[in-house]
């Protein structure tokens, strides 16, 4: 199903390339010398497609054809008639497609991936009179038609589903979306001139994508104007300081549209209260502690070049293309890179809280699933990895480790496995290849899951949960878990999820908590949970936000986009839009 969405187009740096189509304007009104000459183009298409489809690779004018499986089927259905030509010459739809491809950079894509260089060579040949509309160059026109058809298929597939398949890039990234029938789309565009509308419908329809796209255009303007001023290295700048570096700081914030107060300045090189407030705004936008001090981390963020921020936006536009077209009318989202949970209803945030996510060695995965129940006063079966890597060394050092934490030890992972006394075990004799024990922590004040566990099925055994350890929530960078997400206010989240269930008043929930007994509560209306990873986005106030790449996912994606040719289109003609542990 196609995404139905209309949006005014944003003119970006690539749009200037639309001028190349002007060279075709006169030629488009020319005609083939006869219907026989035009028919020769169809014959050449048939010859080329039939020959190339029997080969392992398909290239055209030096360009790799990615739709090698789709093109033969499509052209057979059209009896090999050209898509982008008619007897009057180049169709206006072809000009619209070239313009759209030229503007691919507005979406963070590279126009050269869609045969633009080869198409431009053809344009130059047409303009120079070397590429004529009759028989002896019918093969060249056939190549032109095939190139544009493949460019259309590839561009549309990347625009709607991303250039990279995230599941081949990350084994812990699983987000999927219904398929788009690219063959139907191609046939539709081949018979209509509304190509721009068809392309617009394929962009992610969520406002977050459009807003980020707008800021990409803005930052490219900043880059064209020379970028941001750089602040010289030095000691931490503090309110009250007077230094020439303060003037550079002031200029840097003004260049980034960090609005300064209209209050009169004592001196441009003085670090006054207004400048401190602007520094705090910058820090908040970059996931830093908003203390108003310009130390090493704040300085590094300020001296990050506009080119680096542009690339960061491009990478996150790609991630938007991996997401489902709709996150739902009501959902929970966790942005791992931001360490924050949001509950959203009808595009309005109704609950927000800090979270603790997986450490880099045990990353929180990316996926979507529906939460269906809550466990109050949960016990905790310790996952194998945590048992061996985290608890075993501590048990070797402290014979009373398990007793202090209310952890029972069982010989085997079966539910009927017998309990054993951990003080009678020589823990030094066991390791990752020899570990028959199961650890179970009873409900209580020291339980690692706290008082709540919020469950949604997934292959990673990841969930949201409470925690008795609160100190980490005061930190700005909160990647300390083993993959699961620890929430700062589990009671508020539980009360929200049970708010439409009259059988579960706040008083009854508090009573169950006091009892200490485990109890499972099903949610009346299951809610979607989206675990995401975004290092650049636009918040609800329209402010562009950046975060550190804590899992090096930006680095991996950048390498994949730079190093891989465009992924081939699937043979069945449908594009699958893909995307989506322990405490």
């Amino acid at each position: 199903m196609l995404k139905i969405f209309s949006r005014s187009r944003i003119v970006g740096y690539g749009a200037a390339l639309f001028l190349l189509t002007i060279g075709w304007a006169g030629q488009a009104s020319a005609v083939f010398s006869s219907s026989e000459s035009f028919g020769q183009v169809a014959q050449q298409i048939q010859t080329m497609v039939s020959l190339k489809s029997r080969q392992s690779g398909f290239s055209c004018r030096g360009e790799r054809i990615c739709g090698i499986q789709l093109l033969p089927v499509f052209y057979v259905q059209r009896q090999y008639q050209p898509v982008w030509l008619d007897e009057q010459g180049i169709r206006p739809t072809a000009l619209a497609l070239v313009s759209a491809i030229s503007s691919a950079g507005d979406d963070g894509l590279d126009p050269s991936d869609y045969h633009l260089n080869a198409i431009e060579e053809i344009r130059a040949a047409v303009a120079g009179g070397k590429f004529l509309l009759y028989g002896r160059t019918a093969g060249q026109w056939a190549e032109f038609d095939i190139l544009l058809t493949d460019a259309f298929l590839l561009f549309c597939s990347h625009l709607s589903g991303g250039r990279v398949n995230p599941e081949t890039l990350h084994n812990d990234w699983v987000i999927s979306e219904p398929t788009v029938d690219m063959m139907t789309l191609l046939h539709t565009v081949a018979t209509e001139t509304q190509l721009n509308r068809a392309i617009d419908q394929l962009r992610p329809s969520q406002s977050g994508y459009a807003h980020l796209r707008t800021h990409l255009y803005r930052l490219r303007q900043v880059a064209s104007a020379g970028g941001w001023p750089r602040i010289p290295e030095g000691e931490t700048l503090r309110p009250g300081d007077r230094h020439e570096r303060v003037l550079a700081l002031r200029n840097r914030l003004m260049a980034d549209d960090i609005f300064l107060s209209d209050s009169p300045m004592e001196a441009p090189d003085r670090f006054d209260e207004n400048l401190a407030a602007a520094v705090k705004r910058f820090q908040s936008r970059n996931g830093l502690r908003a203390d108003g001090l310009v130390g090493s981390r704040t300085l590094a963020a300020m001296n990050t070049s506009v080119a680096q921020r542009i690339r960061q936006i491009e990478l996150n536009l790609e991630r938007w293309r991996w997401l489902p077209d709709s996150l739902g009318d009501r959902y929970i989202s966790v942005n791992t890179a931001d360490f924050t949970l949001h509950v959203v209803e009808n595009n309005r945030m109704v609950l927000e809280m800090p979270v603790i996510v997986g450490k880099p060695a045990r990353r929180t995965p990316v996926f979507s699933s529906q939460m269906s129940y809550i466990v109050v006063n949960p016990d905790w079966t310790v996952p194998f990895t945590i048992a061996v890597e985290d608890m075993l060394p501590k048990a070797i050092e402290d014979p009373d480790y398990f007793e202090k934490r209310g952890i029972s030890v069982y010989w085997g992972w079966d539910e009927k496995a017998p309990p054993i006394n951990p003080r009678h075990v020589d823990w030094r004799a066991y390791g990752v290849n020899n570990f028959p024990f199961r650890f179970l922590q009873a409900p209580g004040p020291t339980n690692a899951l706290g008082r709540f566990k919020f469950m949604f099925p997934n292959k990673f055994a990841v969930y949201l949960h409470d925690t008795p350890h609160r100190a980490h929530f005061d930190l700005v960078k909160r990647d300390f878990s083993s993959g699961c997400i620890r929430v700062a206010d589990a009671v508020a989240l539980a009360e929200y999820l049970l708010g439409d269930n009259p059988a579960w008043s706040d008083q009854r929930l508090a009573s169950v908590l006091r009892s200490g007994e485990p109890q499972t509560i099903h949610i009346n209306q299951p809610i979607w949970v989206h675990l995401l990873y975004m290092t650049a986005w636009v918040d609800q106030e329209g402010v562009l936000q950046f975060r550190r790449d804590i899992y090096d996912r930006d680095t991996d994606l950048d390498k994949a986009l730079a190093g891989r040719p465009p992924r081939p289109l699937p043979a069945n003609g449908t594009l699958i839009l893909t995307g989506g542990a322990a405490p």
Side-chain angles (χ1 to χ4, degrees):
M1 180 178 296
L2 295 182
K3 306 173 183 179
I4 306 302
F5 178 61
S6 62
R7 183 188 298 122
S8 60
R9 294 178 60 82
I10 300 172
V11 179
Y13 82 105
L17 292 177
F18 176 73
L19 293 175
L20 69 85
T21 64
I22 294 176
W24 282 350
Q27 191 65 27
S29 63
V31 297
F32 284 89
S33 58
S34 67
S35 60
E36 179 181 354
S37 297
F38 182 70
Q40 289 176 355
V41 177
Q43 293 175 4
Q44 288 294 326
I45 291 175
Q46 181 177 7
T47 299
M48 292 179 62
V49 169
S50 299
L51 175 63
K52 298 294 186 180
S53 63
R54 295 193 296 268
Q55 300 175 353
S56 58
F58 189 169
S59 62
C60 185
R61 297 188 70 82
E63 295 283 313
R64 178 193 180 201
I65 300 299
C66 294
I68 186 171
Q69 300 296 329
L70 293 186
L71 286 173
V73 177
F74 172 71
Y75 277 109
V76 165
Q77 292 174 351
R78 290 182 54 82
Q79 297 182 329
Y80 298 101
Q81 293 301 306
V83 182
W84 312 98
L85 302 168
D86 57 26
E87 292 186 1
Q88 300 303 311
I90 300 170
R91 297 181 62 212
T93 310
L95 307 183
L97 175 59
V98 174
S99 176
I101 290 173
S102 300
S103 300
D106 296 347
D107 289 277
L109 297 170
D110 185 351
S112 67
D113 283 343
Y114 313 111
H115 312 313
L116 187 62
N117 294 333
I119 293 170
E120 164 62 7
E121 289 177 3
I122 295 173
R123 183 215 61 83
V126 170
K130 300 177 182 178
F131 205 78
L132 306 178
L133 289 175
Y134 50 81
R136 65 185 180 87
T137 55
Q140 293 173 305
W141 283 115
E143 290 178 331
F144 165 72
D145 203 83
I146 291 171
L147 275 176
L148 279 182
T149 299
D150 192 62
F152 173 81
L153 289 170
L154 197 58
F155 178 53
C156 288
S157 70
H158 290 176
L159 193 60
S160 56
R163 189 177 182 276
V164 171
N165 183 340
E167 294 186 37
T168 63
L169 184 62
H170 307 294
N171 59 13
D172 57 352
W173 193 302
V174 183
I175 290 184
S176 61
E177 164 79 334
T179 60
V180 170
D181 189 339
M182 298 301 293
M183 291 290 284
T184 298
L185 177 62
L186 183 53
H187 279 295
T188 300
V189 172
T191 57
E192 297 179 2
T193 60
Q194 301 299 321
L195 181 138
N196 284 337
R197 179 176 179 273
I199 289 176
D200 279 339
Q201 290 171 351
L202 290 173
R203 286 191 176 90
S205 61
Q206 300 182 60
S207 60
Y209 183 86
H211 295 326
L212 199 56
R213 192 169 177 259
T214 300
H215 279 279
L216 175 62
Y217 171 60
R218 180 181 67 82
L219 288 194
R220 284 197 170 125
Q221 289 182 312
V222 173
S224 297
W228 295 316
R230 186 174 180 84
I231 303 170
E233 301 288 336
E235 298 293 327
T236 297
L237 291 173
R238 304 172 183 275
D241 287 352
R242 189 161 187 173
H243 195 280
E244 61 182 11
R245 293 174 64 230
V246 173
L247 182 59
L249 170 64
R250 189 181 298 276
N251 291 335
R252 167 65 180 86
L253 293 174
M254 293 179 67
D256 197 21
D257 289 338
I258 305 292
F259 188 74
L260 301 177
S261 171
D262 292 333
S263 301
M265 289 183 294
E266 177 181 331
D269 61 351
R270 179 175 174 77
F271 200 147
D272 56 24
E273 292 183 1
N274 292 330
L275 184 56
V279 169
K280 290 178 181 179
R281 285 194 290 274
F282 176 90
Q283 290 169 325
S284 295
R285 296 179 183 188
N286 288 270
L288 301 167
R289 185 173 298 282
D291 55 11
L293 306 179
V294 184
S296 59
R297 290 184 177 178
T298 297
L299 185 64
M302 288 184 173
N303 282 338
T304 299
S305 70
V306 67
Q308 290 173 285
R309 293 308 192 194
I310 286 172
R311 187 54 173 167
Q312 197 169 349
I313 291 177
E314 291 174 342
L315 298 177
N316 284 276
L317 285 171
E318 174 76 358
R319 292 192 179 110
W320 271 109
R321 293 188 282 266
W322 297 343
L323 293 179
D325 191 45
S326 173
L327 298 180
D329 295 332
R330 175 174 171 266
Y331 62 88
I332 296 170
S333 70
V334 176
N335 183 0
T336 308
D338 187 39
F339 316 107
T340 304
L341 176 148
H342 295 121
V343 180
V344 178
E345 282 187 10
N346 299 318
N347 297 317
R348 184 175 63 89
M349 187 171 64
V350 298
L351 188 63
E352 178 182 16
M353 67 183 68
V355 297
I356 294 168
V357 303
K359 61 188 73 173
R362 299 177 187 171
R363 305 188 302 191
T364 297
V366 175
F367 64 90
S368 296
S369 183
Q370 277 195 309
M371 181 185 295
S372 56
Y373 67 96
I374 303 170
V375 180
V376 185
N377 298 321
D379 56 23
W380 178 40
T381 299
V382 181
F384 180 83
T385 299
I386 296 178
V388 175
E389 295 183 2
D390 299 349
M391 291 189 173
L392 179 58
K394 295 175 182 177
I396 293 173
E397 294 179 0
D398 182 3
D400 297 323
Y401 175 80
F402 296 105
E403 182 179 354
K404 292 176 180 177
R405 289 159 181 80
I407 297 176
S408 300
V409 179
Y410 297 84
W411 184 271
W413 285 78
D414 188 274
E415 289 296 326
K416 297 181 180 180
I420 60 174
N421 187 336
R423 294 184 63 88
H424 296 166
V425 177
D426 182 4
W427 294 108
R428 293 170 298 180
Y430 297 95
V432 65
N433 297 318
N434 176 28
F435 198 82
F437 308 102
R438 175 168 61 92
F439 300 159
L440 180 65
Q441 189 176 37
T446 62
N447 187 284
L449 305 185
R451 298 171 294 172
F452 292 93
K453 182 168 65 169
F454 304 89
M455 300 301 292
F456 41 97
N458 63 87
K459 69 177 184 179
F460 303 103
V462 162
Y463 42 84
L464 309 180
H465 67 85
D466 189 18
T467 176
H469 308 296
R470 316 300 300 175
H472 285 160
F473 287 112
D474 295 329
L475 301 177
V476 173
K477 187 170 180 283
R478 298 185 293 273
D479 52 343
F480 300 103
S481 84
S482 292
C484 282
I485 299 99
R486 306 173 192 169
V487 299
D489 195 344
V491 173
L493 182 58
E495 289 177 347
Y496 167 80
L497 295 170
L498 300 176
D500 62 348
N501 188 340
W504 280 98
S505 65
D506 294 351
Q507 293 76 16
R508 184 183 177 190
L509 184 61
S511 176
V512 172
L513 283 170
R514 286 193 300 269
S515 75
E517 294 297 320
Q519 183 160 350
T520 298
I521 307 174
H522 289 275
I523 302 170
N524 273 356
Q525 298 181 44
I527 183 171
W528 277 102
V529 178
H530 303 288
L531 305 186
L532 308 176
Y533 188 86
M534 293 286 185
T535 60
W537 73 95
V538 180
D539 66 19
Q540 291 195 335
E541 284 71 46
V543 176
L544 180 60
Q545 300 278 338
F546 290 109
R547 294 296 183 270
R548 283 177 286 180
D549 183 21
I550 59 171
Y551 292 162
D552 292 328
R553 292 191 190 275
D554 279 1
T555 301
D556 293 341
L557 179 55
D558 187 35
K559 290 179 181 177
L561 290 171
R564 294 183 182 180
R567 56 171 165 161
L569 296 167
N572 61 3
T574 56
L575 169 70
I576 301 176
L577 307 183
T578 57

